[in-house]
Amino acid sequence: MSQPKTLALVAHDGMKEALIEWARPRVEQLSQHTLYATGTTGGRLISELGLDVTPLKSGPHGGDAQLGAMIAEDRLDALVFFIDPLSALPHDVDVKSLLRLAILYDTGLAVNPTTADALLTHMDTPV
């Protein structure tokens, strides 16, 4: 494995279970990195999978903004954000801002299990 990276794990309410199930067989791999997560997602990763995660505020209460600041300050290497494409979100502006910052600062970004696998593989490949 290459040097540990800083990774954020986020999931909309309708996608939290999918993120937990994606992470479950990857606990050992994920634990090699510095992990952050928003609100309930972070709590579940800690309680259900035993991962060492730094919890942030929930997305609508500032967690998305916290992650955006980390990206802008070059303190986050990658973001896994399982987005629920079928639900309207009251904090959609925050989500779009976070995604825009990830794109602007060329931060690794995954939005579903397939891209999350590719991102994690890339993070663990020595350069």
Side-chain angles (χ1 to χ4, degrees):
M1 188 178 98
S2 65
Q3 291 281 43
K5 303 282 198 264
T6 303
L7 173 65
L9 301 167
V10 183
H12 285 145
D13 287 344
M15 300 300 290
K16 288 187 191 324
E17 190 62 32
L19 180 65
I20 296 297
E21 290 311 309
W22 171 81
R24 188 176 308 283
R26 296 163 183 81
V27 166
E28 186 175 327
Q29 194 175 7
L30 289 166
S31 67
Q32 302 302 309
H33 299 287
T34 302
L35 303 175
Y36 291 85
T38 53
T40 306
T41 304
R44 289 190 62 184
L45 290 164
I46 294 165
S47 67
E48 295 178 36
L49 303 181
L51 284 167
D52 181 14
V53 176
T54 300
L56 304 173
K57 295 181 183 303
S58 71
H61 293 150
D64 295 336
Q66 287 177 292
L67 289 173
M70 290 176 70
I71 290 170
E73 295 167 354
D74 197 28
R75 296 188 296 125
L76 191 66
D77 295 306
L79 170 64
V80 172
F81 193 162
F82 281 19
I83 297 169
D84 186 347
L86 301 178
S87 293
L89 303 165
H91 66 289
D92 192 51
V93 172
D94 299 330
V95 172
K96 287 179 181 174
S97 175
L98 177 57
L99 296 175
R100 190 175 305 115
L101 287 167
I103 293 165
L104 177 65
Y105 287 97
D106 196 26
T107 301
L109 175 63
V111 295
N112 58 36
T114 299
T115 56
D117 282 341
L119 181 64
L120 197 56
T121 298
H122 173 74
M123 287 175 52
D124 289 342
T125 303
V127 179

